[in-house]
Structures are given as C-alpha cells and as structure tokens.
Amino acid sequence: MDGALVVGVSGSPSDPSRTSTLVAATVARLAEDLPDARTAQVEIGPLLADLGAAPSREAMSAETRRALETVEAADVLVVGSPAFRAAYSGAFKLFFDWVGQYDLVDTPVLLTATGGSDRHALLVEHQMRPLFGFFQSTTLPLGVFGNERDFTKREGGYDLASVDLELRIDQAVRRALPIVRGGFAAVGADDVRRPADF
C-alpha cells in the first residue's frame, strides 16, 4: 500500500525518553520498506493533563484530539511504553482509554517497551498484547524490548547504543512486513472497520 501512515506512540511521561527513541527508530525502520510511507509520532507526556482532566473528547484541546485522531487513522501503529510496576505506564493506558473502541480493528500494531533490566521484557507479551487484543488489532509477531544498557544519553535525548537492539528491531520489522502488506492487500475501498456489536 503506497503512502501508508505509520504512527508511533510513546507512552513515556518523561522527556527525553528511551521509549520515544525506541519507537522512533522502529517507525523509521518500518517505513524504509513501505513505499512512500508517511510517518508521525505521538508523545503522550505533554497531553497528560488534558487526558486526565477532560470529561469528554470534545472538551480536550485541539492538540490532544488531533493526537487521538492520528492514532485512529493509522495504517500501522508502533506503540511503546516504559515499564512501571511490571506493567505499561499509566500515561499509556490513559491515552488508549480515549481511543475509539472500534477504530483499531485489524490495525497492525508493533509492540515495544523499555525497562531498567531484562526482567521487564515480558511486559510486551503479558500486558501490552492483551490490551490490543481488546481493540481487535493485529498485534505483530515480535515485540521489541530495550533495557537501559541499549541506550546512550546525549544532550537533549538518547541514542541507540546496542547492535543487538538494532537487530531486534530489524527482525521484528521483517517478521511484520508480510502481515502488514497482506492486510493492506485485503482491505477494499468500501470496507467498514467497525464490526457489529456482539
């Protein structure tokens, strides 16, 4: 599918953020193999006050509504969260609480996470994959986890510092591409994403 919209979502409340770095690197790698892909990245941290206080989407700022709409319009999502108490961040959950229940049906989602050590790596499988199961999204086969040693801090942000992490990103993308492309081929112009309630 030419011109696919690949959207990254970083659920880190921090800036700078290892999670944002991982999500951006994964989006960039995925876009390399999708012709004319368009990319965008949503940072949840700056939206937290609005997400937590607004009684409805209509009451949110234009920036927050635009972020939610961008995610809902994505052809492919790359989502990431830091590990907090062995789960995804509250910021990550709060954002997806506002995403339309049927707006991510069949959307391919590549899962990523970061944590202080590898003991948090199962966050991707045990916490994130079930969340996107609720949305009836197509979670892609391999998630990507990065620990603190996989990044180096620089002024204003982080860089990937691990060949192993770069290889994990590459492997996850290569495993994802046949599914992503197959999904694009199956979607017709008149398909309706929202299924009947059951």
Side-chain angles (χ1 to χ4, degrees):
M1 180 179 183
D2 291 350
L5 177 59
V6 183
V7 178
V9 182
S10 171
S12 175
S14 305
D15 181 23
S17 161
R18 295 178 184 89
T19 302
S20 296
T21 300
L22 176 57
V23 168
T26 307
V27 166
R29 175 63 188 84
L30 187 54
E32 287 176 10
D33 286 321
L34 296 175
D36 303 317
R38 296 167 293 133
T39 64
Q41 182 142 328
V42 171
E43 299 290 338
I44 295 175
L47 311 177
L48 274 177
D50 207 17
L51 291 166
S56 67
R57 278 180 61 152
E58 292 71 25
M60 293 177 178
S61 69
E63 179 186 10
T64 303
R65 291 197 309 272
R66 188 163 50 249
L68 291 164
E69 289 163 3
T70 298
V71 168
E72 292 166 348
D75 295 303
V76 187
L77 281 176
V78 176
V79 301
S81 175
F84 277 86
R85 302 295 190 269
Y88 42 68
S89 69
F92 187 84
K93 179 63 165 63
L94 182 58
F95 180 84
F96 281 98
D97 281 347
W98 286 105
V99 169
Q101 180 175 348
Y102 298 108
D103 288 320
L104 301 182
V105 172
D106 294 334
T107 301
V109 182
L110 200 160
L111 307 171
T112 75
T114 60
S117 72
D118 289 340
R119 66 192 176 129
H120 297 292
L122 287 176
L123 156 66
V124 170
E125 301 302 325
H126 291 179
Q127 302 289 331
M128 299 178 79
R129 205 173 290 278
L131 173 63
F132 290 95
F134 165 81
F135 284 109
Q136 302 176 59
S137 304
T138 300
T139 53
L140 296 165
L142 295 182
V144 181
F145 179 83
N147 63 44
E148 288 186 359
R149 299 186 307 277
D150 291 323
F151 301 88
T152 54
K153 193 162 188 340
R154 57 172 170 77
E155 186 175 350
Y158 291 92
D159 292 316
L160 300 186
S162 165
V163 172
D164 285 344
L165 179 57
E166 292 178 10
L167 290 173
R168 291 198 296 274
I169 293 170
D170 185 69
Q171 184 180 29
V173 167
R174 285 189 287 107
R175 286 288 303 277
L177 283 168
I179 297 166
V180 169
R181 290 175 177 143
F184 290 162
V187 174
D190 297 326
D191 282 357
V192 177
R193 181 170 275 184
R194 178 174 176 143
D197 290 327
F198 57 86

